[in-house]
């Protein structure tokens, strides 16, 4: 049977969120979740398609919510024929969104194919009012109601939920976190970083005051004022290279002001570039992805294929962690594989200069060629990973790197 959930929300972070919840409720949680190819306006939403499946496909960022709800994770895109064929033998839940195509045309295409295959279908609509989203079936029966907390995480809608949260967090220790990214980037496009922050905050009973700071607003002349008062700084990943200059400025500020800072993917690259500039005392060091004509490249292509395209390291990747690193202590035996999504690696000739200022390689890929993590021992907390630890975080099971960073900030 087909369950088609129509949702008109334009934000990539909302894509499939309510459908994922419904899939967990149908067929005792055994319903198949399937999704169509999605196409967003990446000029408006650069991070719309940055969720990394375990096998390496990049899909709509809102599919994070399926990953967090289901141990098997989200799979790659399917077409209508493939979805209907699966629905011949199982309950299949499908989000339908403007990014998949015109809704009426999609309904007709599914109906036509389902009729030929003898598959029945039910249509649902997501309705939103204030902070609550509801899934209503074609008979106007309420099938699910959910609300998002301040970290964007979904839970069952409860009338007194806000009051309960306020009472719970009022007695917690507070911490000001500067998240280097605009509200739109973190809430509308790529929800994983905020959700992971919430997971870590809950585990440590911390009340985080998260302040989103657009990277494009930061440079050497503005960064101190913009980040004044921040007790911890997080540099997230992302596909928009216009963020790099501001992230580098934030990393340099965190280094000199000794503010605990953590970097995820692009954030780690920005941190390494910032400290390479400190080590070599020159400002013409840059990441080739963001500055193709940089005099001194800090991050270079992993390698090129025979046709000149760049190797894309994506999906779950093995990582070899240095046994004497702080990272090894923080992870404390956690399995090393991590989801990656990058085509550039740290230029190896910069490892020695970085080491001279105290920044060392804490992890490498299986080949030893790619720096998968950096850290500094003589800083309250200065560490980053080339992969995406935020994608491994869950409520009740936050990623240890983020726990270690917040603990360092609280202690500092």
């Amino acid at each position: 049977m087909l369950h088609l959930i129509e949702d008109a929300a334009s934000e990539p972070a909302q894509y499939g969120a309510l459908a994922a919840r419904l899939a967990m409720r149908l067929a005792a949680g055994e319903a198949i979740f399937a999704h169509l190819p999605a196409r967003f306006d990446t000029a408006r939403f650069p991070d719309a398609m940055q969720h990394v499946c375990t096998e390496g496909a990049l899909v709509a960022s809102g599919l994070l919510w399926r990953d967090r709800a289901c141990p098997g994770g989200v799979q790659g895109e399917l077409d209508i024929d493939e979805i209907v064929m699966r629905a011949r033998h199982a309950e299949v839940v499908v989000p339908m969104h403007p990014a998949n195509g015109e809704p009426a045309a999609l309904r007709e295409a599914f109906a036509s194919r389902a009729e030929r295959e003898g598959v029945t279908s039910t249509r649902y609509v997501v309705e939103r009012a204030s902070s609550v989203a509801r899934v209503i079936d074609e008979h106007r029966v309420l099938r699910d109601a959910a609300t998002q907390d301040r970290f964007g995480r979904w839970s069952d809608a409860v009338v007194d939920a806000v009051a309960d949260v306020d009472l719970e967090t009022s007695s917690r220790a507070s911490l000001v976190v500067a998240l280097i990214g605009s509200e739109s980037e973190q809430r509308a496009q790529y929800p994983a970083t905020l959700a992971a922050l919430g997971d870590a905050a809950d585990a440590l009973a911390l009340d985080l005051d998260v302040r989103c700071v657009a990277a494009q607003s930061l440079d050497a002349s503005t960064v101190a004022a913009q980040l004044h008062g921040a007790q911890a700084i997080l540099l997230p990943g992302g596909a928009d290279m216009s963020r790099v200059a501001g992230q580098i400025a934030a990393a340099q500020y965190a280094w000199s002001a000794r503010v605990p800072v953590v970097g995820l993917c692009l954030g780690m690259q920005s941190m390494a570039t910032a400290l390479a500039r400190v080590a070599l005392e020159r400002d013409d060091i840059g990441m080739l992805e963001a500055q193709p004509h940089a005099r001194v490249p800090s991050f270079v292509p992993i390698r090129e294929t025979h046709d000149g395209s760049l190797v894309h390291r994506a999906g779950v990747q093995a990582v070899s962690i240095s046994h004497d690193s702080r990272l090894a202590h923080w992870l404390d035996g956690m399995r090393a594989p991590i989801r990656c999504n990058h085509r550039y690696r740290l230029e190896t000739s910069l490892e020695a200069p970085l080491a001279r200022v105290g920044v060392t390689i804490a992890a490498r890929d299986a080949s030893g060629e790619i720096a998968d993590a950096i850290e500094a021992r003589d800083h309250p907390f200065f560490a980053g990973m080339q992969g995406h630890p935020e994608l491994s975080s869950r409520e009740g099971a936050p990623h240890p790197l983020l726990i270690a960073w917040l603990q360092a900030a609280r202690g500092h």
Side-chain angles (χ1 to χ4, degrees), residues 28 62 68 146 159 170-171 190 247 265-266 281 340 357 385 390:
R68 286 174 63 93
V159 173
S170 63
S171 60
Y190 185 82
Q247 283 206 356
C265 197
L266 184 69
E281 298 182 342
C340 293
V357 294
M385 296 192 76
E390 75 276 13

Side-chain angles (χ1 to χ4, degrees), residues 88-402:
R88 293 176 63 187
H89 310 290
E91 306 272 343
V92 179
V93 176
V94 186
M96 290 172 55
H97 185 277
N100 304 130
E102 203 280 319
L106 287 172
R107 284 196 295 270
E108 176 58 31
F110 269 113
S112 175
R113 182 61 172 158
E115 184 178 6
R116 289 201 303 272
E117 297 297 332
V119 172
T120 58
S121 66
T122 300
R123 175 175 170 256
Y124 308 78
V125 175
V126 176
E127 297 180 344
R128 286 182 165 81
S130 185
S131 62
V132 177
R134 298 175 172 85
V135 179
I136 310 295
D137 70 17
E138 53 197 354
H139 305 295
R140 301 298 299 172
V141 175
L142 178 66
R143 302 301 299 267
D144 186 28
T147 188
Q148 286 184 284
D149 68 10
R150 60 200 182 97
F151 297 103
R153 299 172 300 177
W154 290 95
S155 61
D156 293 342
V158 179
V159 173
D160 294 326
V162 173
D164 291 343
V165 169
D166 286 344
L167 288 171
E168 177 187 347
T169 60
S170 63
S171 60
R172 294 180 171 190
S174 62
L175 197 69
V176 178
V177 173
L179 174 52
I180 309 304
S182 69
E183 288 277 349
S184 170
E185 290 162 5
Q186 304 306 315
R187 297 190 183 279
Q189 298 184 52
Y190 185 82
T193 306
L194 267 177
L197 266 178
D199 299 337
D202 287 349
L204 296 172
L206 279 174
D207 180 16
L208 296 189
D209 177 5
V210 180
R211 301 176 183 178
C212 290
V213 181
Q216 294 87 341
S217 71
L218 299 176
D219 58 31
S221 67
T222 64
V223 66
Q226 292 261 39
L227 301 185
H228 177 71
Q231 296 166 282
I233 297 170
L234 190 155
L235 304 177
D240 186 352
M241 293 299 107
S242 72
R243 303 168 189 163
V244 170
Q247 283 206 356
I248 291 172
Q252 289 179 325
Y253 170 82
W255 179 258
S256 61
R258 298 183 62 77
V259 178
V261 58
V262 68
L264 315 177
C265 197
L266 184 69
M268 187 210 86
Q269 295 183 358
S270 298
M271 293 168 70
T273 302
L275 269 293
R277 292 181 180 183
V278 171
L280 296 177
E281 298 182 342
R282 54 192 300 174
D283 292 329
D284 56 354
I285 302 172
M287 298 153 49
L288 290 184
E289 188 174 11
Q291 295 177 268
H293 305 295
R295 293 279 298 277
V296 179
S298 57
F299 280 77
V300 298
I302 296 173
R303 58 182 174 275
E304 293 186 1
T305 62
H306 65 279
D307 63 359
S309 59
L310 301 185
V311 166
H312 185 195
R313 184 170 177 242
V316 174
Q317 303 292 327
V319 175
S320 177
I321 300 173
S322 176
H323 72 277
D324 60 349
S325 66
R326 298 177 80 187
L327 182 66
H329 170 70
W330 297 330
L331 298 191
D332 190 25
M334 178 184 176
R335 291 180 60 195
I338 193 167
R339 281 189 236 185
C340 293
N341 172 25
H342 65 111
R343 295 178 174 86
Y344 292 77
R345 61 168 177 81
L346 177 65
E347 166 56 53
T348 54
S349 65
L350 293 180
E351 291 184 18
L354 285 171
R356 287 198 295 270
V357 294
V359 177
T360 57
I361 309 304
R364 299 184 186 274
D365 74 323
S367 73
E369 297 177 354
I370 297 172
D372 263 325
I374 62 171
E375 65 180 33
R377 288 186 179 275
D378 297 326
H379 190 277
F381 195 100
F382 190 93
M385 296 192 76
Q386 178 63 80
H388 287 275
E390 75 276 13
L391 296 181
S392 302
S393 184
R394 301 289 183 270
E395 291 187 62
H399 195 280
L401 179 68
L402 298 179

